Amino acid sequence: MTRVHNFSAGPAALPEPVLRQAAEEMLDWQGSGMSVMEMSHRGPQFMAIMADAQARLRRLMNMPDTHELLFMQGGALGENAIVPMNLLGRHRSIDFIDTGEWSKKSIQEAARYAQVHVAASSADSGYTRVPPRETWQLDPGAAYVHICSNETIGGVEYGFTPDVGAVPLVADMSSSILSQPVDVSKYGLIYGGAQKNIGPAGLTLVIVRRDLLDRALPCTPTAFNYRVVADNGSMYNTPPTYAIYIAGLVFKWIEDQGGLAAMAARNAEKAALLYDALDRSVLERGGLFVTRVARDCRSRMNVTFHLRDEALTAPFLAGAEARGLVQLKGHRVVGGVRASLYNAMPLAGVQALVAWMAEFEAQCQAGS
Ligand SMILES: *Cc1c(COP(=O)(O)O)cnc(C)c1O
């Protein structure tokens, strides 16, 4: 068996020890004689798996008691509708910060339920940065302010938690959750799909301040009403049991690695290695590889870059694949290359990628 270095943006690589434990427990979870997939979600075994996963995540994120943790379904795109339905209340409009493809999707979906106000946008820069906080035109009467903490497609990340005053801050953290410590108390709501940095697709995390639980519009589907989900311990309807089990194993793996501070240090090291290679390419070797993202907004999770000559992208990716470095193709909207460096990507994977970049540059120089 050979495992590749998987740079997928999502669904993404999982830690190998997690996959091994899941394989071992596939037919018989801890003497139950059943696979987790075959258990009643209301039986004692799965209830223990659920409680353990929730307790570990609360601990990892140092989640205050003011906030409720919900395990839901529907993905981040589902939440783009579920959040406005639940948080609009008596308000009419929502403030958005537009930093790329995923914020655009959030804005379009919310416009079905509310007035949307784009308080700042980096569209004019080609979505290569986060608009500086002092340029945001916030409306103090807005239901909430929505940001996308990390734009998975463009590779643009907030290097700060914005202060938006008394209006709740809502963040789509799909692709950066658990990559570093977060001060949950600064957020009204955090949401994200699990398939980037946590576990398998199918599980959606929502962390919501308790005082925001009772604002849902009457049209909100019952299964997506935060109050209902909270009061039923995320079991109003059948939760994605297997995805929750795997996520629990990932939470345990992160704890064993030293928690979110350790993840942050490791992620910073991996990202620095790759961005240094990109910067050196420009400074020392005529810029075969370039990243367009503003330096202080560079994503640690999704590193996007281009080859100076777009025609070199295909041979670069083919050579990468031959070396076991896979799923590096950039999203079709931006093209080029995207290396996703989530928690499960080891430093060795980034080292192998940087070595292949240097080898490819040498080949191009020799051939030109
Ligand atoms: C992947 C992603 C989404 C879409 O998530 P789904 O689970 O497919 O709905 C939304 N926002 C961000 C930031 C993402 O990375």
Side-chain angles (χ1 to χ4, degrees):
M1 183 201 68
T2 326
R3 296 268 302 162
V4 292
H5 285 304
N6 180 358
F7 293 89
S8 171
L14 286 165
E16 206 171 296
V18 166
L19 295 176
R20 284 187 189 286
Q21 184 173 345
E24 272 167 29
E25 295 179 339
M26 178 59 77
L27 296 182
D28 176 11
W29 181 81
Q30 300 190 5
S32 66
M34 290 182 273
S35 167
V36 173
M37 276 180 267
E38 303 169 305
M39 292 173 181
S40 162
H41 59 295
R42 302 200 190 277
Q45 292 112 338
F46 183 75
M47 293 288 273
I49 290 170
M50 179 81 156
D52 181 72
Q54 296 208 332
R56 282 186 199 279
L57 184 58
R58 291 200 78 103
R59 223 162 34 229
L60 269 178
M61 293 189 71
N62 199 14
M63 232 178 269
D65 285 339
T66 45
H67 284 63
E68 192 77 45
L69 168 62
L70 310 178
F71 283 174
M72 298 182 68
Q73 301 184 65
L77 293 189
E79 289 302 324
N80 281 346
I82 299 166
V83 175
M85 281 186 185
N86 275 279
L87 296 197
L88 197 61
R90 60 179 176 80
H91 304 268
R92 303 188 60 162
S93 76
I94 305 166
D95 275 351
F96 282 88
I97 310 305
D98 171 28
T99 47
E101 298 308 316
W102 290 121
S103 358
K104 274 198 286 187
K105 282 232 162 65
S106 299
I107 295 166
Q108 283 162 5
E109 187 70 12
R112 298 163 57 104
Y113 307 98
Q115 285 174 20
V116 293
H117 170 238
V118 178
S121 172
S122 56
D124 60 348
S125 77
Y127 293 123
T128 53
R129 62 187 172 83
V130 173
R133 171 65 188 87
E134 59 274 17
T135 65
W136 299 9
Q137 307 277 322
L138 296 176
D139 167 9
Y144 57 91
V145 180
H146 180 281
I147 64 169
C148 177
S149 301
N150 181 65
E151 288 280 358
T152 322
I153 292 174
V156 170
E157 184 173 15
Y158 280 73
F160 60 100
T161 305
D163 182 352
V164 295
V167 176
L169 178 64
V170 171
D172 175 357
M173 270 192 205
S174 295
S175 52
S176 57
I177 193 161
L178 302 188
S179 66
Q180 63 184 1
V182 169
D183 183 351
V184 174
S185 72
K186 295 219 161 84
Y187 293 85
L189 189 145
I190 293 169
Y191 68 92
Q195 72 273 20
K196 312 290 167 63
N197 205 20
I198 295 179
L203 170 64
T204 311
L205 298 183
V206 174
I207 299 160
V208 55
R209 220 172 61 205
R210 291 207 164 98
D211 65 296
L212 299 175
L213 285 173
D214 296 306
R215 290 189 181 190
L217 300 179
C219 65
T220 308
T222 310
F224 294 133
N225 182 309
Y226 293 147
R227 165 56 71 190
V228 174
V229 178
D231 285 352
N232 287 276
S234 296
M235 294 223 202
Y236 171 73
N237 64 332
T238 314
T241 52
Y242 199 76
I244 290 169
Y245 157 70
I246 298 285
L249 297 183
V250 172
F251 301 151
K252 178 171 187 306
W253 176 80
I254 295 173
E255 284 184 325
D256 292 346
Q257 305 290 301
L260 297 191
M263 289 295 121
R266 197 193 280 183
N267 289 329
E269 185 184 8
K270 289 183 295 181
L273 182 63
L274 184 46
Y275 284 116
D276 282 354
L278 292 169
D279 289 340
R280 271 186 288 112
S281 175
V282 172
L283 293 173
E284 297 165 18
R285 292 196 284 273
L288 182 67
F289 300 103
V290 286
T291 178
R292 297 171 181 166
V293 179
R295 189 170 285 270
D296 60 342
C297 305
R298 288 172 167 181
S299 171
R300 301 159 305 121
M301 295 284 100
N302 312 97
V303 181
T304 58
F305 57 98
H306 288 75
L307 282 91
R308 187 185 50 214
D309 177 357
E310 202 63 51
L312 292 173
T313 308
F316 174 74
L317 292 173
E321 183 131 5
R323 286 158 182 78
L325 310 170
V326 309
Q327 309 212 64
L328 279 162
K329 195 174 187 318
H331 189 276
R332 63 195 141 71
V333 172
V334 288
V337 182
R338 170 172 56 175
S340 296
L341 312 180
Y342 301 124
N343 290 343
M345 169 58 62
L347 181 64
V350 188
Q351 287 168 333
L353 173 60
V354 167
W356 165 234
M357 288 165 67
E359 191 185 333
F360 190 75
E361 278 183 317
Q363 278 178 19
C364 289
Q365 267 169 356
S368 65

